[in-house]
């Protein structure tokens, strides 16, 4: 018999146990019918969860380091991750439902595999579909990898430019580096959700395979500024899970 509870088990990483900073999130999950389990990277050697909720706030237990460890490891990089921002007291300040994360330099074979598994390449041969690649430096390898899947690539170099491109003509996919000259990828994702024509675009975040401590701190400050004074209630928080 299939254990339906294990099928709905979500692991909590980076935010402490359910009796500490993670208490609010764990309570929301239980009320939504999910089983919440505090875990660490070692647990992934023997088990796999339905998905991972990861605290990427400055108050986390190295949330960005955990994200990079998960995505660098071929054994764990396919596990869905939902980044959340918890305040020092454990209140939910923000949720960032990216369609997925890829490390840079890009692994073209892995990118291709994931796009096929997610069903995002099936229409590329029949339709003239466009994908946005958003990066300060252009990310030539990413552009070539996405073009090899049959997409026409539109490049944007800032978040504002990406919004302009995405709201004037239909775009099928978006790939953005974590830090742009004018905003973070999470802020851009937040803004995409404001427009009906961009709300449902699959949005993938590109992260450097190795980030220095200063880079992680800079991203943390950007995200903290984005969610300042926000607090999500149970129903709003659970909506992000039901869409995934």
């Amino acid at each position: 018999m299939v254990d339906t509870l294990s099928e709905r088990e979500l692991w909590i990483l980076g935010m402490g146990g359910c009796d500490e900073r993670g208490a609010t999130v764990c309570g929301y999950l239980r009320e939504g019918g999910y089983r919440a389990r505090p875990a660490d990277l070692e647990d992934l050697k023997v088990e796999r969860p339905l998905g991972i909720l990861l605290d990427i706030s400055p108050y986390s237990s190295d949330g960005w380091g955990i994200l990079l460890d998960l995505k660098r490891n071929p054994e764990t990089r396919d596990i869905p991750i939902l980044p959340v921002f918890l305040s020092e007291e454990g209140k939910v300040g923000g949720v960032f439902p990216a369609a997925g994360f890829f490390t840079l330099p890009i692994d073209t074979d892995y990118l291709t595999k994931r796009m096929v598994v997610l069903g995002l390449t099936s229409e590329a041969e029949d339709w003239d579909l466009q994908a946005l690649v958003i990066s300060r430096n252009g990310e030539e390898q990413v552009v070539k990898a996405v073009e090899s899947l049959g997409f026409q690539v539109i490049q944007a170099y800032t978040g504002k430019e990406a919004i302009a491109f995405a709201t004037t003509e239909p775009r099928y996919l978006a790939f953005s580096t974590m830090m742009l000259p004018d905003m973070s990828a999470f802020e851009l994702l937040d803004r995409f959700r404001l427009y009906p024509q961009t709300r449902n675009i699959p949005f993938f975040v590109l992260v450097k395979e190795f980030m220095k401590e200063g880079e992680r701190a800079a991203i943390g400050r950007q995200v903290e500024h984005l969610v300042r004074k926000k607090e999500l209630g149970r129903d709003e928080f659970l909506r992000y899970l039901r869409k995934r």
Side-chain angles (χ1 to χ4, degrees):
M1 181 181 295
V2 175
D3 182 352
T4 55
L5 276 179
S6 65
E7 284 190 329
R8 292 177 66 80
E9 182 172 82
L10 296 172
W11 286 12
I12 309 294
L13 270 68
M15 61 184 77
C18 283
D19 56 345
E20 300 172 11
R21 284 185 63 246
T24 297
V25 167
C26 290
Y28 287 170
L29 291 174
R30 284 193 294 270
E31 291 173 33
Y34 295 93
R35 183 180 174 188
R37 172 181 165 184
D40 56 40
L41 292 173
E42 288 297 311
D43 295 322
L44 291 166
K45 292 180 179 180
V46 292
E47 295 181 78
R48 291 288 186 274
L50 173 67
I52 290 173
L53 270 70
L54 178 64
D55 180 19
I56 46 83
S57 74
Y59 313 106
S60 71
S61 303
D62 192 24
W64 288 107
I66 294 172
L67 175 66
L68 293 176
D69 282 339
L70 290 168
K71 292 303 170 183
R72 283 195 296 251
N73 185 346
E75 299 296 321
T76 59
R77 63 186 179 182
D78 290 344
I79 300 173
I81 298 175
L82 182 62
V84 300
F85 185 103
L86 294 191
S87 70
E88 192 169 9
E89 299 79 24
K91 296 177 181 178
V92 183
V95 179
F96 306 100
F101 295 84
F102 294 102
T103 55
L104 296 173
I106 200 73
D107 180 335
T108 300
D109 290 340
Y110 177 61
L111 174 69
T112 300
K113 172 190 169 186
R114 290 306 299 162
M115 294 297 103
V116 171
V117 167
L118 293 170
L120 295 173
T121 61
S122 57
E123 296 183 350
E125 294 181 1
D126 300 323
W127 302 93
D128 182 17
L129 300 178
Q130 296 181 341
L132 277 171
V133 173
I134 311 146
S135 167
R136 180 198 303 265
N137 300 317
E139 296 301 336
E140 184 178 352
Q141 275 190 312
V142 177
V143 170
K144 289 181 178 179
V146 175
E147 286 178 336
S148 73
L149 298 174
F151 297 102
Q152 178 187 355
V153 171
I154 306 298
Q155 291 183 261
Y157 298 92
T158 67
K160 290 180 180 178
E161 189 175 25
I163 293 168
F165 285 151
T167 53
T168 52
E169 291 186 34
R171 315 297 178 182
Y172 191 72
L173 295 170
F175 299 85
S176 175
T177 52
M178 190 64 234
M179 294 299 289
L180 300 166
D182 53 348
M183 64 184 73
S184 69
F186 285 168
E187 182 173 353
L188 180 57
L189 174 60
D190 226 28
R191 294 195 185 189
F192 268 31
R193 297 206 302 260
L194 298 175
Y195 300 93
Q197 60 268 56
T198 58
R199 185 175 298 147
N200 296 315
I201 292 178
F203 189 105
F204 296 90
V205 179
L206 307 169
V207 292
K208 292 170 64 175
E209 188 171 7
F210 297 98
M211 286 195 295
K212 297 178 181 177
E213 188 62 38
E215 292 175 308
R216 298 183 193 184
I219 295 173
R221 288 193 296 271
Q222 283 269 3
V223 178
E224 187 170 28
H225 174 75
L226 177 62
V227 303
R228 187 170 296 165
K229 297 182 180 178
K230 290 184 181 179
E231 181 179 353
L232 275 64
R234 180 197 62 190
D235 292 343
E236 187 177 3
F237 172 77
L238 290 174
R239 277 200 295 270
Y240 287 102
L241 297 178
R242 291 168 185 147
K243 293 176 182 177
R244 296 174 73 79

